[in-house]
Amino acid sequence: MTYFLEPDRATREAWVRLVSDYLNDYFDAAPGMDAYDGDADSGVLARLRRPPAETGRDLAEVLADIEAGSEGGILHPSGGHLSYIPNAGQFTAALGEFLAAGLNRYTGIAYCAPGLVAIEHSVVDWMTSLFGLGPDAAGVLLSGGSMANFTGVVTARSVKLGDDFTRGRIYLTAHTHHSVAKAARLAGFRADQIVKVAVDEDRHMDPEALREAIRADRAAGHDPFLVVASAGTTDTGAVDDLHAIADVAAEEGLWLHVDGAYGGFFILTDRGRSRLDGIQRADSLAVDPHKGMSLPFGSGAVLVRDESALVDAHLGRGAYLKAEDEYMGLRDIASLGPELSRPFRGMSVWLPLQLHGVAPFRDALDRSLDLAAYAYDRLKGIPGLEKVWRPDLSIVALRFADDEVGRKAMERVNSERKAHLSPTIVEGRFVLRIAVLNRRTTEEHIDHVVEVIAETLA
Ligand SMILES: Cc1ncc(COP(=O)(O)O)c(C=O)c1O
């Protein structure tokens, strides 16, 4: 079958119906889905790596390939997905991506699509006001937390160090997400310019150790300029004492970047707002709608207290562009981050917020907090568990008296497939994580995991 590049309306409608039926079946199946689907079929993988043919194929046949390609691995829609950082997905965001790709307007430069750039700015404005970053705040939607951390590090470097950053020093902890150290390397820093600050026994950065490290480095001729605090670490969910770190940053003249990629959106809830208090003092902040709001992978944001810092670090001019980087009060998105051409990410955040409102997102996050607290309560009495950390937000981390038993418990949970867990290593010891961030997670999922762990220990 041959399709030209302009399918007629009847063909377009038929295709949309097929895709819509396919996705509707997928969403209907999500609540009962296993969390883990095992290994993929190597024959399917080889088939899917075929190059395209000269002539087009039938969509039904292509969808069968997509269905086969979806087999194996971790099934994110499942409420039993409790590994890494869960993301249940949103049907409304899929509609947003469809619309954004269909419209295919250029949102790097405001003048090219002013209304759509206004939509994207409205989403960022909502976030900067949610996090209390003040009247001069701005931000940009990027592909995720890694790029948000990178953009934060580059902005801090530009403001605090200018062009000579060979003596600069960055402070983080052993629990900071690895994307921050990667961002620092990509931004031109050597490994020895990244300093790991000590943590307390609950894995929070020790503000006094931070102060001492900064002062010792300064006395030794280094240039401390950036501290990165975590608003929810990936491995054990710890939220640093953001006020205490902001105090040290202010007293010592450092830029404060907060990595809220996992934990940031808990600010929508009362409990989260109080746990994250101090986040409003960040100079820059990474947040990920594709984590806390379950929006499609590829939506992260860096937010900054002062728009001019972001623009100074990222403004690029070309003779083929307009002289001003603003149109009708709308800043060019390209001036706020590393990308010029970019997907219209605003649509897949804005459309779900328009269709659902904010409240359901808050309720889902509240429910994750409830379920993490429930998991903690059930686990803490089980003999054979050496330590269960009280969750700061929605990740429960646990250490076994015997690491091997911990590994066995995880393998049992994963082999039964109803739930999926992933581990981390803390101070050389195996630590199992139960990461709750999927609105489809229920008490039954938690009960199942707790029971398999208890049975493994019995
Ligand atoms: C705390 C934290 N920061 C940064 C990242 C990186 O985000 P991304 O995978 O969107 O690049 C993650 C990812 O899990 C994270 O949990």
Side-chain angles (χ1 to χ4, degrees):
M1 188 172 304
T2 304
Y3 292 114
F4 298 105
L5 292 180
E6 287 294 357
D8 61 21
R9 186 176 181 116
T11 307
R12 293 198 304 268
E13 283 175 354
W15 281 348
V16 168
R17 251 193 318 276
L18 271 177
V19 170
S20 144
D21 286 349
Y22 177 79
L23 271 188
N24 274 312
D25 288 348
Y26 187 70
F27 271 79
D28 285 347
M33 240 179 229
D34 276 352
Y36 182 56
D37 201 29
D39 288 334
D41 178 321
S42 58
V44 171
L45 298 186
R47 183 156 58 80
L48 293 175
R49 292 194 67 169
R50 286 172 310 189
E54 275 297 309
T55 52
R57 297 164 66 205
D58 189 75
L59 177 57
E61 194 191 300
V62 176
L63 280 173
D65 271 359
I66 293 173
E67 180 142 29
S70 304
E71 284 166 13
I74 299 167
L75 302 177
H76 282 79
S78 164
H81 177 217
L82 301 163
S83 51
Y84 306 102
I85 303 290
N87 173 347
Q90 301 283 359
F91 191 80
T92 48
L95 294 180
E97 293 216 332
F98 184 42
L99 282 165
L103 291 171
N104 194 33
R105 295 285 298 279
Y106 194 82
T107 54
I109 305 290
Y111 151 82
C112 299
L116 303 187
V117 170
I119 282 179
E120 185 146 332
H121 281 319
S122 83
V123 166
V124 172
D125 292 346
W126 171 68
M127 292 182 199
T128 56
S129 77
L130 192 60
F131 288 98
L133 293 181
D136 300 322
V140 62
L141 298 184
L142 297 159
S143 65
S146 300
M147 282 307 293
N149 284 329
F150 174 69
T151 308
V153 169
V154 167
T155 306
R157 188 197 71 197
S158 150
V159 170
K160 290 288 184 187
L161 301 177
D163 289 337
D164 179 6
F165 45 89
T166 50
R167 287 179 302 126
R169 287 244 154 157
I170 300 169
Y171 300 84
L172 38 72
T173 77
H175 298 274
T176 308
H177 193 268
H178 77 273
S179 62
V180 176
K182 181 173 168 180
R185 299 308 305 277
L186 290 174
F189 294 96
R190 301 180 308 273
D192 64 275
Q193 293 179 277
I194 303 166
V195 179
K196 281 194 183 144
V197 178
V199 292
D200 67 18
E201 68 165 312
D202 288 324
R203 306 96 60 219
H204 306 115
M205 182 184 282
D206 176 345
E208 273 320 301
L210 170 66
R211 193 192 311 273
E212 280 164 26
I214 292 170
R215 291 189 176 168
D217 281 350
R218 194 169 279 136
H222 300 295
D223 210 347
F225 78 100
L226 166 65
V227 54
V228 180
S230 295
T233 61
T234 313
D235 58 2
T236 63
V239 178
D240 287 332
D241 182 340
L242 300 175
H243 269 304
I245 294 171
D247 286 345
V248 176
E251 286 158 25
E252 300 293 332
L254 269 66
W255 180 277
L256 172 61
H257 177 79
V258 176
D259 181 359
Y262 147 63
F265 279 107
F266 281 101
I267 199 147
L268 285 168
T269 68
D270 288 342
R271 283 171 288 179
R273 178 165 287 276
S274 102
R275 278 302 298 123
L276 298 170
D277 193 25
I279 204 165
Q280 66 278 13
R281 295 173 66 188
D283 293 301
S284 57
L285 167 64
V287 292
D288 264 359
H290 75 196
K291 296 186 174 67
M293 294 174 70
S294 275
L295 298 180
F297 292 114
S299 60
V302 69
L303 310 174
V304 294
R305 162 172 310 287
D306 176 4
E307 183 188 56
S308 65
L310 207 50
V311 174
D312 288 348
H314 293 96
L315 185 67
R317 306 296 331 153
Y320 34 79
L321 297 176
K322 279 170 76 257
E324 294 83 35
D325 72 323
E326 215 177 324
Y327 175 76
M328 294 181 74
L330 299 165
R331 175 78 65 192
D332 287 349
I333 295 176
S335 302
L336 297 164
E339 300 171 310
L340 178 58
S341 296
R342 58 194 297 283
F344 174 27
R345 298 194 178 92
M347 183 63 105
S348 54
V349 185
W350 182 79
L351 190 74
L353 283 166
Q354 296 297 309
L355 294 180
H356 299 297
V358 176
F361 291 98
R362 177 178 302 111
D363 291 348
L365 288 163
D366 255 326
R367 177 105 185 104
S368 290
L369 293 172
D370 289 344
L371 287 170
Y374 174 70
Y376 170 76
D377 285 341
R378 286 216 55 192
L379 285 162
K380 69 179 187 234
I382 297 181
L385 288 180
E386 195 173 78
K387 176 142 177 112
V388 184
W389 282 273
R390 183 187 293 280
D392 281 353
L393 292 168
S394 71
I395 295 176
V396 187
L398 44 142
R399 193 172 66 213
F400 294 72
D402 177 342
D403 285 6
E404 269 323 298
V405 177
R407 282 196 185 90
K408 237 179 241 145
M410 183 186 77
E411 278 158 21
R412 267 183 78 173
V413 170
N414 292 350
S415 68
E416 293 191 19
R417 300 192 176 190
K418 269 166 71 175
H420 191 261
L421 301 178
S422 62
T424 189
I425 302 290
V426 178
E427 286 152 11
R429 298 285 309 279
F430 176 90
V431 168
L432 194 54
R433 311 158 62 252
I434 301 175
V436 190
L437 199 60
N438 180 320
R439 65 177 177 281
R440 299 193 185 101
T441 303
T442 62
E443 285 186 2
E444 287 93 273
H445 292 111
I446 303 293
D447 288 341
H448 171 70
V449 168
V450 171
E451 275 147 32
V452 174
I453 290 171
E455 279 163 26
T456 312
L457 283 163

